[in-house]
Amino acid sequence: VQLQASGGGLVQAGGSLRLSCAASGGHVNTYTMGWFRQAPGKEREFVAAIRGKGINTAYRDSVTGRFTISRDNAKNTVHLQMNSLKPEDTAVYYCAARWSWKVSGSSWSSDDFAYWGQGTQVTVSS
C-alpha cells in the first residue's frame, strides 16, 4: 500500500487542522492505520491509531480529547482532526500502516508499521 499525507500548515495556538492520508494499492480497512510525528531533534512518536475493520482507536495521552482519528472507507482515506492545537504539537506528521492491532500491554512502535507516507509539516505558533 502507498500512503500520501496532506493537510499540514501553519496555525495559531488554539486552532485546528485536519490531516488526511490517502491510500492506494490497498484499502485502509485492511490495516491498522496510524499517525506519528517527529519534532526537530526528537524521536518519532506515536500519535493515534485506528483498527482496520473495527472501531478501536488509540491516542497518546497528550492528544487525547483534542485529536480524533477516523477512516473514510469510500474515499480510502484516514483523517486526523486536530483541535486546540498547542505549540508543542509542532512536528512533521506521518501516516503509517501495519497489518494488525497492537498486542495488549505493548507500546505503539514505529518499528511495527511496515508502510509509511511522506510527512506533512504542522506548525503551531504561540
Side-chain angles (χ1 to χ4, degrees), residues 7 23 27 29 46 58 64 67-68 70 76 78 84-85 87 95 98 121:
H27 203 281
N29 68 357
F46 168 76
T64 298
F67 291 11
T68 303
S70 62
N76 205 18
V78 172
S84 302
L85 283 161
C95 64
R98 56 181 283 177
Q121 176 71 47

Side-chain angles (χ1 to χ4, degrees), residues 9-48:
L10 173 64
V11 64
Q12 289 187 331
S16 298
L17 282 174
R18 189 175 81 153
L19 304 184
S20 297
C21 177
S24 59
H27 203 281
V28 294
N29 68 357
T30 302
Y31 305 89
T32 286
M33 301 296 298
W35 287 95
F36 285 76
R37 66 188 181 187
Q38 188 166 19
K42 295 187 177 181
E43 293 186 354
R44 190 170 297 189
E45 63 183 20
F46 168 76
V47 176

Side-chain angles (χ1 to χ4, degrees), residues 3-118:
L3 305 174
Q4 179 78 30
S6 62
L10 173 64
V11 64
Q12 289 187 331
S16 298
L17 282 174
R18 189 175 81 153
L19 304 184
S20 297
C21 177
S24 59
H27 203 281
V28 294
N29 68 357
T30 302
Y31 305 89
T32 286
M33 301 296 298
W35 287 95
F36 285 76
R37 66 188 181 187
Q38 188 166 19
K42 295 187 177 181
E43 293 186 354
R44 190 170 297 189
E45 63 183 20
F46 168 76
V47 176
I50 185 167
R51 189 169 192 163
K53 297 180 180 178
I55 60 173
N56 300 68
T57 57
Y59 300 91
R60 71 179 296 107
D61 289 346
S62 63
V63 308
T64 298
R66 300 188 298 123
F67 291 11
T68 303
I69 189 171
S70 62
R71 186 177 58 237
D72 185 335
N73 290 331
K75 295 184 178 180
N76 205 18
T77 300
V78 172
H79 299 289
L80 184 68
Q81 178 67 42
M82 306 186 296
N83 298 329
S84 302
L85 283 161
K86 303 176 181 180
E88 51 263 44
D89 295 319
T90 294
V92 177
Y93 283 71
Y94 299 89
C95 64
R98 56 181 283 177
W99 286 105
S100 61
W101 191 248
K102 179 181 69 68
V103 174
S104 178
S106 66
S107 60
W108 289 99
S109 169
S110 59
D111 292 339
D112 297 323
F113 284 76
Y115 307 99
W116 290 83
Q118 90 297 352

